[in-house]
Amino acid sequence: MCADSPEGQLYPRLHPKQRGQQGITYLDHAGSALFPESLLKAFTDDLRNNVYGNPHSQNISSKLTYDTIEHVRYRILQHFHTTAEDYTIIFTSGCTAALKLIAESFPWIPEGTKQPSSRFCYLTDSHTSVVGMRGITASMNVLSVPIKPKEILVAKSRLPAEEQNCTTPHLFSYPAQSNFSGTKYPLSWIQDIKSGRLCPIKLPGKWFVLLDAASYLSTSPLDLGVHPADFIPISFYKIFGFPTGLGALLVNNRIAPLLRKTYFGGGTAAAYLAGEDFYSPRKSIAERFEDGTVSFLDIIALKHGFDVLEKLTGGMEKIKQHTFALAHYTFTVLSNLKYANGAPVVRIYSDTDFSNPDAQGPIINFNVLDENGQVLGFSQVDSMASLHNIHVRTGCFCNTGACQMHLDISNEDIQRNLQAGHVCGDNIDLVDGHPTGSVRISFGYMSSFEDAQTFLNFIIATRLSNSDAEIPFQSVTKLMTESVPDDHFSFNKEDKLSPILQISDRELRNIPSGAETTGSWQPPEPEAESMRAAVSETAVPTCRKGGKPITVAKIYLYPIKSCSAFEVTEWPVGNQGLLYDRNWMVVNQNGVCMTQKQEPRLCLVNPSIDLKQKIMVIQAEGMDPISVPLEDNTVKEAVICESKVCSHRVKTYDCGERIAGWLSTFLGRPCRLIRQSSDMKSKSHQKNTKGLSSATNISLSLVNEAQYLLINVASILQLKEHISARLKEPLEIAELIRRFRANIVISAPESFEEEEWAEISIGALQFQVVGPCSRCQIICIDQQSGERNKEILQSLSAARGRKTNFGIYLMNQPFCSSFSDTLSVGSQVLPVLKENTEIQPPTSSEEKCSG
């Protein structure tokens, strides 16, 4: 790893400038991920800036801890594409503790009862911690049944109908990815087993599935909405590298109430008696099983782990493709290395041909051979690798079942090796010339093409002499160049995974531009999504008769939610409202949306849009202007995250450090600017609005309720009379208009006549009225000074008969005109009246405002 490379800057402890030696090539990511410096800094900054108390207390610092832990639970569920309605997260000390918890609490039915007894079945290609569960089940008089991978593949047979109604619970455990070979076992087994299409063993009862995802999750995404396993134990250091000693058990809520528990620790009891045998557990499954105080600071560190992971990589799917590209390339070259006599240099232990990332993870397990085909001990290979500062893993990797299967080690061999003094984890690599283990290399999201090259060059340099490899080495060099994936990801200057191949090895610079990856795997093409929301045409066609014409008096858009208005005379209309209206919002350091309710000085932030230069210019008193590009960065470099606007979830991305620093300086608190992701708008923030067709999903920006807010100058004038009587100094019309933060200000003859409309047309544009806007305390804020005056809201309530409605919400009707979609000041407004003149506000449990 080069010291000046982005990887070196993210992991300075690996590069030579810090160590004063050759850079470290770390190839044990399946053992533990490596945390970047930025994760530690974000975490320690958090600890320096906040006081986190014991979450079992009720003081302010404890409440902060509790709320942050709950936020992290939500973030974990989000990572696995599920919700708290379907899964509960129980924090543990690691994956092993989670497995132990399952074995102790599963509702086993032991042998010797009138009911059919339970079985614990596990795949032989499982981690020691899974196999070790049989010790607990044995103590409960429950039988364990090991199943070989080949056996489960031929086990597709349904039970007789009379046996399918049996409710005896059985548990089947298998790894999503073998930590030995990287083989990915089908996630489809989950549904097949739970539905009865696949039976691990022919036995009446109901099967539950334990998916050991510890190895799999370090480099692959898991969607529990698609693959709803009952138990998923995980260790977070496998994903982030930090914190260690923290894991979790994700429990499907359909099985959670059936779990049994005998011991109860601090924080798990709703009530108990010390002098009598009385105990009542807490209702929450998580609190019931999290004995004592959870490792709350480590849990808080997970938030920063997710933030950094998404910032650096763009998500698990990219990690999956990136790491598989490296493994595919390394496997291709390694498997083709030959001695001069044609003998292979290595023996690779794999169940796949590394052609499909859905079937193979970024793990390569092998032993090095000599020219005669004899295995070199893994300890020797490890020692040689250490001399080259290459860190690999050796042994059986706590997976004796897979080790036996791939290395052809019998049960008798294991016992014989133990008698010979060999135990798990030692350096006795050969017994009677036969290997006791192997060498494993594994890639992570921070691995680079240079790491793969360094490893391959190490094997070539130590195994192939110049005379032996003169001809073969030329073919190997050609192979090393031709098998480079075109879409291989590496870190770029923005610390993102991007499709830029950077090769530093002198011998491998001339890579053909048309090189193709061998095998059937190809990185997936991004799928473009585009939706245009439509509004149903269901209004009653009763036109307003007579009277003076109604016109558009003013047009405002609010590029940054809750910041100052940008007034225009004409403006393009998009499928979400006025173009760029509320496309951005300011969030605090925890990603929570900030509005004028919490930070009134947001109104002093003045954004303006320059369509010609394609920038948004942001100004504030005492600050130099700053610009943000209008071009959407979603595809190029954005880190997509989920945010909330009122009760709506929206997909957003961060706009960078520069504008974050500008806003933080002006507002005097840490904050960031985020933008709605254009490719996720339709799915992430839709509203089925009352009064519209039930099939109509309206696409929204970062607004609270609707695409547009309209107010009437005549209504403002009438309201001004009521307000002026309560204030010492009367308000100007212009100031009142600014306080109500409308998009469209019309000039109509009658006050509040807009509340009788069902539809309106403005030029070629058609809108449907959704309902009135129920006002909040933001109208009490002077939009030019940021000062509050509570009398405004009270006056509105008094003037409107205890209601705080003012203005109406609009949605776009389907465009049926060839005219350009532009809204202009001076355009005539043609309303259509509704039958029922009482407009009902949009249904919601939250107080709404224009934002």
Side-chain angles (χ1 to χ4, degrees), residues 132-150:
M133 293 171 65
R134 72 187 184 195
I136 295 175
T137 60
S139 69
M140 298 179 177
N141 202 20
V142 173
L143 297 180
S144 298
V145 182
I147 298 177
K148 295 179 181 179
K150 291 181 180 179

Side-chain angles (χ1 to χ4, degrees), residues 409-431:
I409 302 174
S410 66
N411 293 345
E412 292 74 22
D413 290 335
I414 294 288
Q415 296 172 2
R416 191 180 305 115
N417 292 343
L418 178 62
Q419 293 175 353
H422 169 60
V423 296
C424 292
D426 66 15
N427 60 357
I428 299 177
D429 48 18
L430 296 172
V431 175

Side-chain angles (χ1 to χ4, degrees), residues 103 106 108-112 116-122 130-131 133-147 168-173 200-201 203 207:
F106 190 84
W108 308 105
I109 296 179
E111 292 283 302
S117 57
S118 298
R119 292 292 185 274
F120 169 52
C121 296
Y122 58 89
V130 171
V131 180
M133 293 171 65
R134 72 187 184 195
I136 295 175
T137 60
S139 69
M140 298 179 177
N141 202 20
V142 173
L143 297 180
S144 298
V145 182
I147 298 177
T168 295
H170 306 296
L171 183 63
F172 175 69
S173 174
I201 56 174
L203 202 67
W207 284 95

Side-chain angles (χ1 to χ4, degrees), residues 61-80:
S61 60
S62 298
K63 185 65 167 58
L64 176 63
T65 303
Y66 178 86
D67 290 344
T68 307
I69 290 173
E70 294 308 299
H71 174 75
V72 172
R73 289 190 206 270
Y74 167 79
R75 191 73 177 271
I76 295 170
L77 293 170
Q78 182 186 40
H79 186 76
F80 295 112

Side-chain angles (χ1 to χ4, degrees), residues 184 219-221 313 315-329 355-358 360 362 443-445 485 487-490 497 521-525:
K184 290 183 177 179
T219 55
S220 299
T313 69
M316 295 305 298
E317 183 61 34
K318 286 190 175 182
I319 293 175
K320 171 184 167 183
Q321 302 298 335
H322 166 69
T323 54
F324 180 77
L326 294 175
H328 173 85
Y329 163 72
S355 62
N356 184 357
D358 292 326
Q360 177 65 50
F443 298 98
Y445 75 83
D487 296 282
H488 165 69
F489 291 95
S490 68
L497 290 174
W521 171 76
Q522 292 293 336
E525 293 293 330

Side-chain angles (χ1 to χ4, degrees), residues 361-600:
I363 294 174
I364 303 175
N365 198 306
F366 64 96
N367 267 319
V368 177
L369 308 176
D370 65 15
E371 296 91 334
N372 300 317
Q374 298 298 309
V375 173
L376 272 68
F378 60 74
S379 292
Q380 181 181 347
V381 177
D382 191 17
S383 297
M384 291 297 296
S386 296
L387 293 175
H388 289 73
N389 252 4
I390 299 173
H391 297 189
V392 301
R393 181 79 174 266
T394 59
C396 271
F397 322 103
C398 294
N399 191 334
T400 299
C403 197
Q404 285 188 258
M405 178 176 63
H406 286 285
L407 275 66
D408 197 22
I409 302 174
S410 66
N411 293 345
E412 292 74 22
D413 290 335
I414 294 288
Q415 296 172 2
R416 191 180 305 115
N417 292 343
L418 178 62
Q419 293 175 353
H422 169 60
V423 296
C424 292
D426 66 15
N427 60 357
I428 299 177
D429 48 18
L430 296 172
V431 175
D432 297 330
H434 298 288
T436 62
S438 55
V439 181
R440 186 186 74 184
I441 62 171
S442 51
F443 298 98
Y445 75 83
M446 66 292 294
S447 299
S448 66
F449 181 76
E450 185 182 5
D451 293 335
Q453 281 186 291
T454 300
F455 169 74
L456 290 170
N457 286 332
F458 152 70
I459 295 292
I460 293 170
T462 56
R463 299 312 308 158
L464 300 178
S465 65
N466 291 334
S467 58
D468 286 344
E470 184 174 354
I471 296 176
F473 186 77
Q474 293 175 359
S475 63
V476 167
T477 302
K478 184 173 184 291
L479 181 64
M480 290 175 74
T481 61
E482 291 184 345
S483 62
V484 176
D486 287 339
D487 296 282
H488 165 69
F489 291 95
S490 68
F491 286 92
N492 64 17
K493 292 180 180 179
E494 286 75 30
D495 297 342
K496 299 282 175 70
L497 290 174
S498 62
I500 300 174
L501 182 62
Q502 298 177 346
I503 302 176
S504 60
D505 191 278
R506 188 172 300 171
E507 295 178 313
L508 304 177
R509 289 186 186 276
N510 300 319
I511 295 181
S513 59
E516 295 183 357
T517 303
T518 57
S520 61
W521 171 76
Q522 292 293 336
E525 293 293 330
E527 297 180 0
E529 295 181 338
S530 62
M531 291 182 64
R532 188 175 183 86
V535 180
S536 63
E537 301 178 5
T538 58
V540 181
T542 307
C543 297
R544 174 179 177 271
K545 298 178 181 179
K548 296 180 181 179
I550 304 172
T551 58
V552 175
K554 290 181 180 293
I555 301 172
Y556 296 101
L557 62 146
Y558 305 83
I560 305 176
K561 182 179 176 65
S562 228
C563 289
S564 180
F566 174 47
E567 184 175 359
V568 295
T569 55
E570 65 175 13
W571 199 255
V573 170
N575 68 325
Q576 291 188 308
L578 293 172
L579 191 63
Y580 300 119
D581 182 47
R582 295 177 175 91
N583 270 202
W584 293 263
M585 68 179 178
V586 180
V587 297
N588 66 14
Q589 61 184 0
N590 292 322
V592 178
C593 175
M594 293 170 59
T595 70
Q596 291 184 29
K597 293 179 183 179
Q598 301 89 28
E599 182 50 78

